[in-house]
């Protein structure tokens, strides 16, 4: 029921805790009748495990310059549905993965399909957020993926139960920020520890929590507090997390540089040489641009025509958001902060043709004509907290901050 919205520092500049947000602030920013102040939660050390692109981690990375001398973090947007399928289409334990289609060879991404228990199938599609074409529509790519002849049969006669979306980190070994700062450390997806070819990060998230807990327990036992536990930063690359990520460090940059067909093959070769000989022909490749910088002006690209949803196998965004159980009190300040509205119009709309209206998997953003003016409308109550807008806006003009309380999507079975 609480979101940490603020980092607390002592006079020396070390982190000493977090504060939860105030509740009951009305849309106009004024305290309403149910107004309650947030609480300060203090500790000798603070571990930040907020998931991908956390709002506190983002502030800490900037304040302590933790990304210095590292490659930019890279991301993908993963969109997922849970289906109940007909028993004859269910094969418990079956796992399927694919690359490419319907994305084409120049945009990175792929799918997963897991047959779970009780005739349940989880299906999802990840689009790498370094895509260039602002007309690309990740949600529609996912819907189209389900229509592939090798896939659609699984869902025929089935029922969609849930929907969700979340960004994932993809930068890997060379993008992990410095993990420690005075008074705490980043762990899990705040640190960006996903192994991209394994599509897996929970193992490293657990290991990073264990490493931090052990080193911090030892620091507290020796009477320390609020200092920098540099042991965490100094040790993770030599440990299991570092070994796991180092072997696969070139897969994402090769995929980005050479496209799906050649890049994935080269990535496979690179993983072989790294695993067998501890050696890479490529050294450690760079990612270069951020995902926001990768987007190109609309004039360089053609709009993409996506088929209309059939309401059986493919759906629209709003009926999908309904299945995410997303809930926000409407009478509160909008939690998606556009820093400069004139820039949004001048650039996001005029130059990039409004990519937020497509990359958002919840249909939060719209450009609507009002009084003869194109106006940016933010349907914040639909937000499923995936963080894609915070990552992909070409001008980094959208800042995601936590809404009040523990609001957002509820994923009981995802
Ligand atoms: S508004 Fe941003 S964080 Fe919310 S669902 Fe859309 S892209 Fe994701």
């Amino acid at each position: 029921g609480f979101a940490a919205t603020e980092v607390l520092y002592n006079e020396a500049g070390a982190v000493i805790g977090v504060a939860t947000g105030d509740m009951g602030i009305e849309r106009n920013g004024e305290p309403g009748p149910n107004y309650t102040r947030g609480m300060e939660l203090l500790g000798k050390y603070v571990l930040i495990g907020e998931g991908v692109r956390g709002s506190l981690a983002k502030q800490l990375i900037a304040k302590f310059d933790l990304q210095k001398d590292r490659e930019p973090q890279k991301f993908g947007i993963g969109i997922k549905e849970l289906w109940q399928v007909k028993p004859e289409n269910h094969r418990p334990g079956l796992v399927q993965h694919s690359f490419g289609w319907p994305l084409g060879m120049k945009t990175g991404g792929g799918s997963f399909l897991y047959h779970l228990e009780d005739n349940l199938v989880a299906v999802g599609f990840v689009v790498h957020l370094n895509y260039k074409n602002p007309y690309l529509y990740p949600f529609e790519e996912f819907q189209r993926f389900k229509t592939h002849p090798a896939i659609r049969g699984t869902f025929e006669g089935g029922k969609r139960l849930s929907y969700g979306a979340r960004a994932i980190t993809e930068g890997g070994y060379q993008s992990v920020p410095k993990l420690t700062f005075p008074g705490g450390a980043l762990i899990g997806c705040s640190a960006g520890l996903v192994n991209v070819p394994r599509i897996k990060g929970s193992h490293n998230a657990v290991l990073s929590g264990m490493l931090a807990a052990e080193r911090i327990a030892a620091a507290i036992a020796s009477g320390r507090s609020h200092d920098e536990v540099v042991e965490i930063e100094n040790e993770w690359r030599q440990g299991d997390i570092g070994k796991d990520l180092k072997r696969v460090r070139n897969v994402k940059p090769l995929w980005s540089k050479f496209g799906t067909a050649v890049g994935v093959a080269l990535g496979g070769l690179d993983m072989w040489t790294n695993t067998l000989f501890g050696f890479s022909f490529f050294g450690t490749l760079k990612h270069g641009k951020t995902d926001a910088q990768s987007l190109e002006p609309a004039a360089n690209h053609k709009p993409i025509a996506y088929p209309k949803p059939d309401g059986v196998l493919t759906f629209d965004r709003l009926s999908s958001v309904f299945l995410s159980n997303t809930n926000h009190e409407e009478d509160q300040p909008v939690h998606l902060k556009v820093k400069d509205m004139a820039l949004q119009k001048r650039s996001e709309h005029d130059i990039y043709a409004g990519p937020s209206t497509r990359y958002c998997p919840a249909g939060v953003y719209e450009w609507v004509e009002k009084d003869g003016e194109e106006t940016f409308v933010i349907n914040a109550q639909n937000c499923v907290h995936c963080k894609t807008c915070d990552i992909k806006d070409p001008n980094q003009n959208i800042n995601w901050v936590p809404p009040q309380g523990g609001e957002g999507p509820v994923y009981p079975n995802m």
Side-chain angles (χ1 to χ4, degrees):
F2 301 94
T5 58
E6 200 184 329
V7 183
L8 304 172
Y9 302 91
N10 63 15
E11 282 174 4
V15 175
I16 55 167
V18 295
T20 63
D22 296 348
M23 304 279 280
I25 298 195
E26 300 198 327
R27 192 104 176 156
N28 59 10
E30 297 294 323
N34 298 325
Y35 176 71
T36 318
R37 284 279 285 148
M39 287 178 290
E40 291 192 348
L41 300 167
L42 305 176
K44 289 179 177 161
Y45 295 100
V46 178
L47 295 177
I48 301 287
E50 290 183 290
V52 179
R53 192 73 159 197
S55 45
L56 300 186
K58 188 175 152 183
Q59 292 169 36
L60 289 163
I61 289 168
K63 180 175 171 74
F64 293 107
D65 204 7
L66 302 178
Q67 208 66 40
K68 184 168 175 252
D69 300 330
R70 315 287 159 103
E71 284 297 293
Q73 187 53 270
K74 306 291 284 181
F75 300 90
I77 169 71
I79 306 176
K80 180 177 166 186
E81 293 174 351
L82 186 71
W83 282 71
Q84 185 130 44
V85 300
K86 288 168 86 173
E88 57 266 38
N89 294 333
H90 189 238
R91 292 167 61 192
L94 179 69
V95 169
Q96 290 174 284
H97 289 292
S98 70
F99 303 126
W101 196 87
L103 287 174
M105 289 298 159
K106 289 191 184 147
T107 306
S111 72
F112 59 86
L113 213 128
Y114 304 137
H115 289 241
L116 311 169
E117 64 286 317
D118 300 332
N119 297 330
L120 297 176
V121 174
V123 57
F125 201 82
V126 176
V127 176
H128 297 185
L129 284 176
N130 58 0
Y131 67 81
K132 297 176 181 168
N133 183 351
Y135 292 113
L136 191 99
Y137 201 148
F139 174 86
E140 294 293 354
E141 296 288 343
F142 172 41
Q143 296 305 313
R144 203 153 66 158
F145 162 74
K146 290 183 289 173
T147 67
H148 190 281
I151 301 296
R152 66 179 311 141
T154 302
F155 301 105
E156 267 160 9
K159 180 172 187 275
R160 190 173 69 144
L161 303 178
S162 327
Y163 169 83
R166 189 70 170 94
I168 56 176
T169 56
E170 293 187 342
Y173 191 76
Q174 52 273 60
S175 298
V176 175
K178 186 182 173 206
L179 296 188
T180 54
F181 48 82
L186 305 175
I187 56 172
C189 272
S190 290
L193 304 177
V194 168
N195 180 320
V196 174
R198 289 173 77 186
I199 328 180
K200 187 174 167 200
S202 44
H203 62 314
N204 287 337
V206 171
L207 289 171
S208 71
M210 287 165 63
L211 175 65
E214 284 163 9
R215 297 301 168 264
I216 282 177
I220 292 174
S222 62
R224 290 165 56 188
S225 66
H226 305 316
D227 63 342
E228 185 165 345
V229 186
V230 285
E231 298 90 316
I232 301 168
E233 169 62 17
N234 292 343
E235 291 175 29
W236 78 266
R237 282 181 199 269
Q238 283 71 47
D240 288 342
I241 306 171
K243 286 183 196 143
D244 182 60
L245 293 184
K246 191 167 183 193
R247 280 196 288 267
V248 302
R249 67 193 181 282
N250 289 327
V251 173
K252 166 83 180 179
L254 286 167
W255 196 339
S256 304
K257 197 167 164 54
F258 294 103
T260 300
V262 178
V264 170
L266 286 175
L269 175 73
D270 193 63
M271 284 195 288
W272 265 73
T273 63
N274 272 292
T275 305
L276 295 178
F277 312 113
F279 157 82
S280 168
F281 288 108
F282 303 102
T284 297
L285 294 173
K286 294 181 184 309
H287 295 302
K289 294 178 183 171
T290 65
D291 291 333
Q293 291 163 341
S294 305
L295 203 66
E296 292 180 351
N300 300 0
H301 295 273
K302 289 200 183 75
I304 304 170
Y306 290 100
K308 287 223 170 345
D310 61 13
V312 179
L313 182 63
T314 59
F315 303 92
D316 64 17
R317 276 186 302 191
L318 289 186
S319 65
S320 302
V321 174
F322 180 74
L323 292 180
S324 70
N325 300 310
T326 296
N327 177 46
H328 294 91
E329 166 65 53
E330 291 198 20
D331 190 18
Q332 65 173 305
V334 170
H335 70 280
L336 302 144
K337 309 281 182 201
V338 179
K339 293 177 221 162
D340 179 346
M341 241 347 149
L343 174 65
Q344 203 65 8
K345 167 73 174 64
R346 197 167 67 239
S347 177
E348 209 264 352
H349 178 272
D350 294 357
I351 297 176
Y352 294 96
S356 59
T357 61
R358 291 174 284 275
Y359 63 56
C360 173
V364 167
Y365 300 107
E366 293 175 278
W367 282 102
V368 175
E369 198 184 311
K370 271 190 196 160
D371 304 327
E373 281 265 315
E374 287 293 323
T375 308
F376 198 47
V377 174
I378 304 174
N379 303 299
Q381 70 279 5
N382 287 353
C383 174
V384 296
H385 298 196
C386 75
K387 311 293 177 72
T388 302
C389 51
D390 196 288
I391 295 163
K392 189 63 178 169
D393 179 75
N395 304 296
Q396 291 291 273
N397 197 27
I398 300 177
N399 191 31
W400 188 98
V401 300
Q404 73 168 16
E407 296 176 342
V410 179
Y411 298 135
N413 47 8
M414 292 278 275

